[in-house]
């Protein structure tokens, strides 16, 4: 056996035992602190993961709404839109009975589509 291994089996003096006991106590205390910090960090990570899932779901809904609005606005020709006074002027100028009937049916169908989309 080497000298260091033999020393390991020799009884330690009282002061060395006390030092070893203090070191063990200190290490146990540090281990407990590290474990508590690890648990606290794990709880924080779990909370952040939950918050992230909620935020991602809200963002997905927002993006879906935004994409619908963007797609709709791309389909609308802004320069061709008429306001209320333009509609009144246009409808007032109609003289042909069939044309008035067609516009009336068109406006009724728009109203029906609007009511159906409000229900769903």
């Amino acid at each position: 056996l080497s000298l260091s291994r033999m020393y390991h089996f020799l009884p330690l003096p009282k002061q060395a035992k006390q030092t070893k006991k203090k070191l063990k106590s200190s290490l146990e205390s540090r281990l407990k602190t590290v474990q508590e910090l690890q648990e606290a960090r794990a709880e924080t990570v779990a909370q952040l993961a939950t918050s992230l899932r909620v935020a991602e779901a809200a963002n997905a809904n927002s993006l879906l709404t935004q994409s619908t609005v963007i797609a709709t606005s791309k389909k609308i020709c802004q320069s061709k839109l008429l306001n209320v006074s333009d509609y009144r002027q246009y409808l007032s100028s109609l003289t042909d009975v069939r044309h008035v009937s067609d516009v009336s049916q068109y406006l009724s169908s728009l109203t029906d589509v609007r009511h159906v989309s409000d229900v769903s």
Side-chain angles (χ1 to χ4, degrees):
L1 290 175
S2 69
L3 189 57
S4 62
R5 286 188 180 181
M6 284 179 37
Y7 182 74
H8 180 69
F9 293 112
L10 294 175
L12 296 172
K14 187 174 184 179
Q15 186 178 12
K17 285 184 180 182
Q18 289 176 346
T19 304
K20 191 173 179 180
K21 192 174 186 180
K22 286 180 185 178
L23 179 61
K24 182 180 177 184
S25 174
S26 173
L27 290 174
E28 287 174 345
S29 172
R30 288 182 185 178
L31 177 63
K32 184 178 178 183
T33 302
V34 168
Q35 288 172 337
E36 289 171 355
L37 287 172
Q38 185 179 10
E39 288 175 12
R41 297 294 191 266
E43 289 174 7
T44 303
V45 167
Q47 290 171 350
L48 290 173
T50 302
S51 297
L52 178 63
R53 283 192 293 273
V54 169
E56 286 175 340
N59 189 33
N61 289 338
S62 176
L63 290 176
L64 181 63
T65 302
Q66 286 177 349
S67 66
T68 303
V69 168
I70 291 169
T72 303
S73 67
K74 284 182 180 179
K75 292 178 184 178
I76 294 174
C77 183
Q78 297 290 332
S79 63
K80 305 274 182 181
L81 290 177
L82 300 173
N83 61 26
V84 174
S85 63
D86 292 336
Y87 276 117
R88 283 189 182 138
Q89 183 180 359
Y90 170 72
L91 295 174
S92 298
S93 68
L94 293 178
T95 55
D96 184 22
V97 174
R98 280 186 265 157
H99 196 175
V100 171
S101 175
D102 289 343
V103 170
S104 175
Q105 286 179 336
Y106 172 72
L107 293 175
S108 295
S109 67
L110 286 178
T111 304
D112 292 341
V113 168
R114 192 165 135 207
H115 288 301
V116 169
S117 67
D118 289 343
V119 171
S120 57

